[in-house]
Amino acid sequence: MLNPHNFSRPVVFFANGIGDHIIALPALRALSNIFSGRLSLIVVEEAYTQIFSDIVFESVWFIKTFGASGVHIMQKIGRESTPFDYEVLAKEASGCDLFISLCLWTSPDLERLIKSLSPPVSVGFYPTFTYELSEKINCFDSIFCVNHLFNPQIEIEDFSNPPYIEKKYLTLVQDLKVSMKKNKLLIVHTDTKPRKIWSADKFIRTIDKFLSVQTDYIVIIVGMHHNLPLELAYYKNRIFDVSGIPLGLSFALLSVADLFLGIDSCMLHVADLFRVPGVGIFGPTNPQKWGFRFASHKHITSDSITSITSQQVFDALMCLC
């Protein structure tokens, strides 16, 4: 076990997809608590402002890339090894005596950053770190396990509260919930990487069948975009498309949802932290690793996502009502 009081300038590094930042929330909250505000963070600016802004850090330094911009930086750095300005970060984090990488990846520039800092102790998921972390069954636990180096008794449940929501968004969704009166809300999220997408026609059939039985429900579709043929839905007057709204407002809608339906995505992880019961549709990815961790749920999985039927998903939704 490492004594956190032995480190005066600890630094944590994280960059990946939007959903991965949601997964890292409990781990970062716990680390901030362990180091009593002495912890500094290296992160993409959009990730900090939209997801991590309520966590106390001594300093926050933003990762700058060469060409990429916006939220897409989050995934490009990790998944595509996009180069970033490690020299500037090395100057800002100079004197770091503990470097923690919560990334399940490495890259030439990340390795250069660590070499430039030359911390006495480093922690990460590769053998090159002083302390190598190992992946657990669920991704939330994989990232959170770094805290057990400093406090073996610390528990993820104590830090798994939902993401921070801006007051203006909370007011909007609370007003919406009041206007719905006795209606219940199903949030649907469909957009993701092509290999993880489920059939748009099956989504519509599932939603229509669900609304035909659950007459007190309305449906709101969130995400950046979708290809659902909403005009073909029989109950289209109870389906509302808000795709493209700000990320924080989508998170806020999940805070008042009664049920969630979606693929392996960031919205599934947000629903999970809000303890919204949900159905996750999984094909090429492992639901034990990337699925629900905290909320009541049903995972529908197949080696080929195209073989998952709308009846299977409908039955799972009904089990959670």
Side-chain angles (χ1 to χ4, degrees):
M1 189 176 88
L2 295 173
N3 186 344
H5 299 292
N6 291 340
F7 302 101
S8 61
R9 195 162 165 77
V11 174
V12 61
F13 178 101
F14 191 72
N16 219 329
I18 297 172
D20 301 291
H21 286 77
I22 298 298
I23 291 165
L25 265 174
L28 284 171
R29 288 171 177 150
L31 284 171
S32 175
N33 180 269
I34 285 171
F35 287 101
S36 305
R38 300 195 315 281
L39 183 69
S40 293
L41 174 69
I42 296 176
V43 71
V44 172
E45 183 173 2
E46 288 77 8
Y48 175 72
T49 57
Q50 297 186 48
I51 301 172
F52 297 153
S53 61
D54 66 322
I55 305 176
V56 176
F57 296 105
E58 182 171 279
S59 299
V60 178
W61 302 301
F62 298 133
I63 302 169
K64 304 296 183 183
T65 61
F66 305 99
S69 61
V71 295
H72 300 293
I73 297 177
M74 298 185 201
Q75 61 190 41
K76 284 183 176 293
I77 291 172
R79 297 173 187 172
E80 301 175 22
S81 295
T82 295
F84 60 88
D85 197 337
Y86 70 90
E87 293 178 330
V88 168
L89 293 173
K91 291 177 182 177
E92 291 173 325
S94 176
C96 164
D97 55 2
L98 170 63
F99 185 90
I100 302 170
S101 172
L102 297 183
C103 302
L104 300 180
W105 55 268
T106 188
S107 75
D109 278 349
L110 178 54
E111 291 170 4
R112 293 182 187 109
L113 172 60
I114 298 170
K115 184 177 180 180
S116 298
L117 290 172
S118 298
V121 179
S122 61
V123 178
F125 286 90
Y126 284 82
T128 51
F129 292 95
T130 313
Y131 291 86
E132 182 183 0
L133 303 173
S134 59
E135 293 190 49
K136 309 300 179 185
I137 293 175
N138 186 274
C139 53
F140 273 101
D141 297 296
S142 291
I143 304 300
F144 191 83
C145 73
V146 64
N147 290 281
H148 295 144
L149 285 173
F150 308 98
N151 180 357
Q153 279 74 50
I154 199 166
E155 296 183 354
I156 190 172
E157 286 77 12
D158 294 330
F159 299 91
S160 61
N161 47 300
Y164 170 76
I165 306 294
E166 290 184 64
K167 185 177 180 180
K168 64 180 179 181
Y169 293 146
L170 278 178
T171 301
L172 283 173
V173 299
Q174 288 165 356
D175 289 346
L176 169 67
K177 197 67 174 176
V178 170
S179 69
M180 288 171 57
K181 298 179 181 178
K182 294 184 179 181
N183 287 113
K184 293 182 178 180
L185 176 59
L186 168 64
I187 297 288
V188 176
H189 183 226
T190 70
D191 60 289
T192 184
K193 290 181 176 180
R195 67 191 182 97
K196 298 191 291 183
I197 288 178
W198 193 48
S199 162
D201 290 334
K202 289 180 182 177
F203 260 117
I204 289 296
R205 287 201 297 272
T206 303
I207 293 170
D208 257 344
K209 189 169 184 177
F210 178 81
L211 291 176
S212 73
V213 176
Q214 299 293 332
T215 56
D216 56 342
Y217 267 86
I218 67 168
V219 171
I220 293 181
I221 299 168
V222 298
M224 290 186 287
H225 55 78
H226 68 83
N227 63 345
L228 301 185
L230 296 180
E231 69 281 0
L232 301 180
Y234 186 81
Y235 294 98
K236 54 180 174 285
N237 62 319
R238 290 163 58 200
I239 304 173
F240 301 90
D241 176 15
V242 299
S243 57
I245 63 173
L247 194 63
L249 184 51
S250 293
F251 292 176
L253 283 169
L254 281 162
S255 75
V256 296
D258 298 284
L259 195 57
F260 173 82
L261 169 62
I263 34 66
D264 174 7
S265 70
C266 65
M267 297 301 174
L268 183 150
H269 302 308
V270 175
D272 195 18
L273 289 179
F274 275 112
R275 286 8 180 224
V276 178
V279 174
I281 303 170
F282 288 81
T285 53
N286 181 357
Q288 284 190 304
K289 182 175 183 179
W290 300 107
F292 283 90
R293 167 65 172 78
F294 305 101
S296 299
H297 65 274
K298 294 287 183 181
H299 291 145
I300 308 298
T301 183
S302 172
D303 291 338
S304 173
I305 199 167
T306 58
S307 67
I308 295 174
T309 67
S310 59
Q311 185 65 45
Q312 287 177 282
V313 178
F314 169 77
D315 289 343
L317 283 171
M318 292 302 293
C319 285
L320 294 172
C321 288

